[in-house]
Amino acid sequence: MKKLLIGLILTIPFFASAQSLNKTLEPKDVNTALKMMGLEVFKFDFESVKDGYNLIVHIEEFENDSIIKHKKHQFGSWKPEAKVKELKLFSKISSNTTEIYWLSIVHPNGECTDRFDIANKFRKTHYWMPIKQGKIVYEQKTPLLFYGMAWEDELNGIKVLRFCWGEEVDRDMKNETLKKLEHKILISYELVK
């Protein structure tokens, strides 16, 4: 009995040290925490943009295929000596039932914050969806990402919420599932001389 008790006591440090708290935060940890608080951050690389082109950011709120609100922000051009040519978007959405959505746009030449008052009928689960990017496009409005409302569907007799998961959304936004979105906020860029 004494040997068994000594053996148990000697193994306690082995089991006690099997788990430890790792206090090191990785960027993914911070992003997850921000998302839980209703904050999301999106950064877009414009390193290859030609000098002299001015950036316009379009924010459009849609009901089905119709634009119900449009905002436009002009940021000017990135200076040739700029070390980083990027555009940052920060969204603040407290919950799926909140009335107010906030979107901040940050460019080296300035920053603006927009408020969207969401109609009661659209206060349902929404998700951010990045749009597949390619080469920089000039002289035309080009989608970056959107915030779209999920739709109800039925799976094996159970009502579920669906979104565009598993599908890549191209810049032409001709995906069939997008037709099921009753509400979305689309963010696009335009580079003009």
Side-chain angles (χ1 to χ4, degrees), residues 96 124-125 127 150-153 159-163 165:
N96 294 324
K124 298 177 183 170
T125 303
Y127 298 96
W151 63 89
E152 279 191 11
D153 203 355
K159 286 192 175 196
V160 295
L161 283 178
R162 292 200 48 206
F163 194 62
W165 298 300

Side-chain angles (χ1 to χ4, degrees), residues 108-126:
N109 294 344
E111 180 178 332
C112 65
T113 300
D114 280 318
R115 169 185 167 151
F116 281 87
D117 297 317
I118 303 304
N120 193 36
K121 63 183 175 180
F122 300 131
R123 292 186 202 156
K124 298 177 183 170
T125 303
H126 281 65

Side-chain angles (χ1 to χ4, degrees), residues 4-5 14 16 30 41 44 56 75 90 94 100 120-121 139 144-145 165 180 191:
L4 178 64
L5 188 58
F14 172 74
V30 175
V41 180
F44 295 93
I56 300 171
F75 289 98
F90 299 87
S94 303
I100 301 168
N120 193 36
K121 63 183 175 180
E139 305 294 344
L144 288 169
L145 74 155
W165 298 300
K180 296 180 181 183
L191 292 165

Side-chain angles (χ1 to χ4, degrees), residues 3 9 18 22 80 98 101 128 131-132 135 165-166 178 186:
K3 288 182 181 180
I9 291 172
N22 181 353
T98 191
Y101 294 179
W128 279 107
I131 295 168
K132 183 180 175 188
K135 293 182 179 180
W165 298 300
L178 294 180
L186 175 66

